[in-house]
Amino acid sequence: MLETVNGTGAARSGGRHAVVIGGSLAGLLAAQVLAEHAERVTIVERDRLPDGPKARGGVPQSRHTHVLIPGGQRAYDTLLPGFCEELMAHGAPRVGAPSDIVQWQGGRWFRRTEETAFFICPTRPLLEWLVRRRVLANPRIELVEGTETVGLAGDATRVRGVLLRERGAAAVGREPRRLAADLVVDASGRGSRAGDWLTAIGAEPAAEETLETGLAYATRVYRTGEDSDAEPHFIVPNPGQTYGAVVLPAEGGRWLVTLSGLRGAEPPLDDRGFTEFSERLPHPITRDWLDAAKAETPALAYRTTANIRRRYDRPGRRPAGFLVTGDAQCVFNPIYGQGMTVAALCAVALRDALADTRRTPTTRRVQKAMLDASRQAWDISAGSDKNMPTATGSAARSTLADRISGWYLGRVEARAPGDPAVGRVFRDVLYLSEPVSALFAPGIAKAVLFGPVRPAPQEPPRRRED
């Protein structure tokens, strides 16, 4: 149980200490929440963290395109009031949807009607730095850098701390040291070793659901001329057209261009190959954009894109006092732009579960709340990926329910480009600001089931509609 960090039991002796494994976004935001319940929170991070908005080795995707969608904006502002305004004050561009975007999805171009939502386009290092600066200003939160977690202290009934070892040659051969804690939260990311740690103390690891398409992408930084009319655009892949492109601005006058393809058709990294790969897309808009811009960096590849969900919410012989959050719990194909948002949604779920005076915040109950916070993102990411021709893994099989919902969502996607009302709700669900049930509201369901497919632009719309 988690009573020791929520004000009862052993906590009365003044020993409330929580340890968060990983200084990721998920770890930082979890620490921010736990500082309201524990007297001391220690973040254990294997990297040495940069002093400023700089990329770090522990986040290999940090140099690629990132967006903070509306559901994430709300969550970050809930946890760190005023955060999104601060992010934009540091230069992160604001992009209105659908007014500011040229978008191809489901084989059609979207009308650029009045803005109904917006997203923010920071680089990952900027967003991480601003979160880290806010969180570590809390005197209850301590950061231990350059230190690796190598195991859990305790047994199959309760975790009582972590086993740590400093990184570097000087630490080779040394025995791990024990850091006692009332609660341990694993926020170590996609490569979490929690399954091994649990096995070592006689507990059971979580069952994993996996879905892999072999999607690979490459990103390059560009500059445009001062008189350029360059605009953001998306080309979203689908089972019949498996190549994608994302072209978005970032702070400092930069643009990030990400091209993607499936297994066996990965975008090349050389200058000519990267540019020519864009000719595989269904329209020359991206090739034309690249020809008019100037590359500032080489292209960088990213290949680790499987969807993985670890079901810590399900019954099993697992200890009290151990939680898993962020990518260590549920990780998505990064092309959908959900990871930074889900990290914050899980922290909000943790906050709400610990603050709920109606129920005792047991380990399993809190873990379930955090998994529920990631469920819609999983349904979107894994639901889309299982339709791709290269999909493999334990979650790749389509059920009857999948086929029924897929039929309905296919009708939604067909109407969203030309029908502003359907398009608005479609975006709200994809941006995690409304539940999937919003797509079944009476007015939307009527348009989807009985309404016509309205005309959409035949070519990329270069102007916003009046």
Side-chain angles (χ1 to χ4, degrees):
M1 294 192 297
L2 301 183
E3 292 96 319
T4 53
V5 293
N6 209 37
T8 63
R12 291 176 181 168
S13 65
R16 294 177 295 180
H17 179 214
V19 168
V20 177
I21 304 169
S24 62
L25 288 172
L28 290 165
L29 296 172
Q32 176 76 3
V33 169
L34 293 173
E36 296 297 315
H37 300 270
E39 293 181 359
R40 201 162 52 98
V41 180
T42 302
I43 302 171
V44 179
E45 169 55 46
R46 66 194 305 272
D47 284 346
R48 295 282 179 183
L49 298 180
D51 183 17
K54 302 171 186 175
R56 61 186 180 94
V59 189
Q61 74 275 28
S62 66
R63 289 182 171 88
H64 295 272
T65 304
H66 286 77
V67 296
L68 189 58
I69 54 179
Q73 295 165 30
R74 184 167 58 199
Y76 277 85
D77 278 341
T78 295
L79 298 164
L80 304 169
F83 178 79
C84 290
E85 286 297 328
E86 183 181 12
L87 191 60
M88 290 185 286
H90 279 78
R94 177 192 189 280
V95 177
S99 56
D100 298 339
I101 310 166
V102 179
Q103 180 172 348
W104 187 95
Q105 187 167 355
R108 307 180 76 208
W109 296 104
F110 274 63
R111 292 173 57 190
R112 292 178 61 179
T113 50
E114 182 180 2
E115 174 186 313
T116 62
F118 71 90
F119 49 88
I120 306 172
C121 304
T123 60
R124 176 65 174 261
L126 174 64
L127 187 138
E128 278 201 9
W129 173 62
L130 291 176
V131 171
R132 190 162 62 241
R133 191 172 71 166
R134 291 277 293 268
V135 170
L136 296 183
N138 189 324
R140 291 190 176 189
I141 299 174
E142 175 190 8
L143 173 66
V144 176
E145 301 176 84
T147 301
E148 192 166 13
T149 302
V150 296
L152 299 172
D155 53 35
T157 61
R158 180 160 192 93
V159 164
R160 302 187 183 280
V162 291
L163 304 178
L164 304 179
R165 180 183 290 129
E166 290 185 15
R167 297 184 71 197
V172 174
R174 291 185 182 178
E175 288 296 312
R177 65 183 176 91
R178 183 177 184 272
L179 178 63
D182 301 293
L183 174 68
V184 174
V185 178
D186 177 18
S188 60
R190 178 185 283 267
S192 167
R193 296 181 56 204
D196 294 336
W197 300 338
L198 290 168
T199 300
I201 61 172
E204 294 178 349
E208 285 190 358
E209 299 170 332
T210 62
L211 180 56
E212 166 76 80
T213 65
L215 181 134
Y217 59 86
T219 301
R220 200 172 187 189
V221 179
Y222 285 81
R223 295 272 181 181
T224 59
E226 293 183 2
D227 58 347
S228 171
D229 59 354
E231 291 187 297
H233 70 262
F234 297 157
I235 293 180
V236 181
N238 61 50
Q241 193 297 113
T242 57
Y243 300 102
V246 177
V247 179
L248 286 174
E251 70 272 6
R254 293 167 290 176
W255 288 77
L256 272 64
V257 177
T258 296
L259 304 179
S260 64
L262 297 184
R263 187 182 298 114
E266 300 89 348
L269 303 182
D270 63 284
D271 180 71
R272 181 176 177 180
F274 183 85
T275 302
E276 291 182 350
F277 184 86
S278 66
E279 295 174 1
R280 304 186 187 192
L281 296 164
H283 192 277
I285 181 174
T286 306
R287 175 62 194 257
D288 293 344
W289 195 101
L290 294 175
D291 286 342
K294 181 179 179 181
E296 190 170 86
T297 67
L300 295 173
Y302 194 72
R303 301 282 191 267
T304 310
T305 59
N307 303 278
I308 303 171
R309 182 161 62 169
R310 299 176 174 112
R311 300 306 301 265
Y312 288 99
D313 60 308
R314 290 180 175 171
R317 191 174 70 255
R318 283 189 286 278
F322 180 67
L323 296 171
V324 183
T325 189
D327 285 358
Q329 172 193 235
C330 190
V331 62
F332 315 94
N333 183 339
I335 207 73
Y336 296 103
Q338 301 166 319
M340 298 194 306
T341 288
V342 173
L345 292 176
C346 287
V348 171
L350 174 64
R351 182 203 64 170
D352 292 347
L354 293 179
D356 188 349
T357 57
R358 299 167 300 171
R359 299 178 178 181
T360 301
T362 63
T363 300
R364 187 178 172 197
R365 181 170 290 149
V366 175
Q367 189 68 71
K368 184 178 184 302
M370 291 196 292
L371 185 125
D372 287 346
S374 68
R375 191 178 301 278
Q376 183 166 322
W378 172 268
D379 290 343
I380 291 169
S381 180
S384 297
D385 276 2
K386 69 173 55 177
N387 295 319
M388 301 304 278
T390 53
T392 60
S394 61
R397 185 176 63 88
S398 291
T399 65
L400 176 61
D402 290 332
R403 292 191 286 274
I404 293 171
S405 63
W407 173 83
Y408 184 85
L409 294 175
R411 295 181 68 86
V412 172
E413 189 174 46
R415 285 154 179 78
D419 185 331
V422 176
R424 175 184 59 79
V425 178
F426 180 65
R427 281 186 296 277
D428 287 345
V429 171
L430 291 182
Y431 293 166
L432 306 181
S433 56
E434 290 290 343
V436 174
S437 60
L439 292 171
F440 298 89
I444 300 300
K446 181 178 179 181
V448 169
L449 293 173
F450 306 112
V453 175
R454 296 188 184 181
Q458 297 300 303
E459 291 291 324
R462 303 293 186 175
R463 297 180 180 178
R464 308 175 191 177
E465 294 184 19
D466 295 331

